């Protein structure tokens, strides 16, 4: 188990065989949400993200990927039922997902840098800076378990860092506490 945080970089554009293999790891609820194969592009990315998340979490928990019970808090934060010290966060944008795993509360966010209405309203910041700030806010909200809309309320202190994960993407990770060491890992 990492002392800091492991951030797994998961490309979501995979072969049909890989999507089918990962589909078999999903829970009944996840399979229902994904629908039956063949999957439309959005559903393929969902299967890849969820299946990869299960494969990534399995060694940290000692459980088989398909045996993991992933639950959500009332605020929507995912957790492993009976997962002990293992905490995780997941984010995806375009054809890329990030899965952050740590022993403390963690949040991760990734966004494909592209022209969007919210970014245009930020004006002078520019696209890259806007998305850097956006991902940092999202990561902190996820680490606190409060989400973006409740960031101004007092919450656990977190440390946040921007990440360089792929060209054309902005990303950040936040971890409860005042020290943060990050290890980027390819999936």
């Amino acid at each position: 188990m990492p002392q800091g945080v492991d951030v797994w970089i998961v490309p979501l554009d995979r072969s049909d065989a890989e999507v089918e293999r990962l589909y078999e790891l999903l829970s009944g609820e996840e399979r229902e949400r994904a629908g039956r194969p063949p999957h439309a592009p959005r559903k393929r990315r969902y299967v890849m993200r969820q299946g990869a998340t299960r494969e990534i979490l399995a060694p940290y928990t000692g459980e088989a990927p398909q045996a993991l019970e992933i639950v959500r808090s009332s605020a929507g934060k995912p957790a492993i039922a009976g997962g002990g010290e293992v905490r995780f966060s997941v984010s995806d944008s375009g054809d890329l997902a990030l899965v952050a795993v740590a022993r403390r509360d963690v949040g991760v966010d990734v966004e494909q840098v592209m022209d969007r209405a919210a970014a245009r309203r930020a004006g002078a910041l520019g696209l890259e800076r806007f998305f850097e700030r956006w991902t940092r806010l999202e990561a902190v909200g996820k680490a606190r378990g409060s989400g973006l809309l409740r960031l101004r309320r007092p919450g656990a202190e977190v440390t946040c860092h921007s990440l360089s994960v792929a060209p054309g993407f902005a990303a950040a990770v936040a971890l409860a506490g005042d020290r943060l060491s990050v290890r980027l890992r390819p999936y």
Side-chain angles (χ1 to χ4, degrees):
M1 188 68 183
Q3 291 301 316
V5 59
D6 286 346
V7 178
W8 292 83
I9 303 168
V10 182
L12 299 178
D13 186 18
R14 296 292 182 109
S15 69
D16 290 342
E18 181 73 354
V19 173
E20 289 175 29
R21 184 184 73 75
L22 291 172
Y23 181 80
E24 295 302 316
L25 301 179
L26 303 183
S27 70
E29 183 180 317
E30 289 168 329
R31 286 184 188 186
E32 188 175 308
R33 183 172 175 189
R36 294 197 171 272
H39 297 99
R42 190 167 142 238
K43 297 291 186 170
R44 284 175 63 89
R45 289 189 299 269
Y46 172 78
V47 170
M48 278 299 307
R49 184 190 74 217
Q50 293 303 110
T53 297
R54 288 175 167 280
E55 278 195 328
I56 289 165
L57 293 174
Y60 294 100
T61 64
E63 297 285 333
Q66 59 274 28
L68 292 171
E69 184 182 350
I70 298 175
V71 297
R72 294 196 174 271
S73 71
S74 60
K77 185 176 173 95
I80 302 167
E85 294 182 340
V86 178
R87 305 284 186 269
F88 74 101
S89 181
V90 181
S91 181
D92 68 272
S93 182
D95 285 332
L96 187 70
L98 299 180
V99 180
V101 185
R103 290 181 192 231
R104 295 178 274 160
D105 286 332
V106 63
V108 71
D109 190 51
V110 63
E111 294 290 338
Q112 191 168 15
V113 176
M114 63 170 92
D115 189 25
R116 293 186 189 162
R120 282 193 303 275
R121 285 191 297 273
L125 277 179
L127 283 178
E128 287 80 15
R129 187 76 178 125
F130 170 82
F131 282 104
E132 179 185 354
R133 286 186 177 183
W134 181 267
T135 57
R136 291 174 68 91
L137 287 170
E138 284 276 2
V140 168
K142 288 179 175 184
R144 287 183 174 169
S146 62
L148 188 60
L149 298 177
R150 295 186 187 99
L151 276 180
R152 298 207 184 272
R153 293 183 183 168
E157 290 302 314
V158 298
T159 303
C160 184
H161 289 295
S162 295
L163 303 172
S164 178
V165 295
F169 288 86
V173 64
L175 190 67
D178 61 355
R179 292 189 349 209
L180 175 59
S181 65
V182 179
R183 184 167 58 163
L184 294 176
R185 313 236 1 222
Y187 173 77

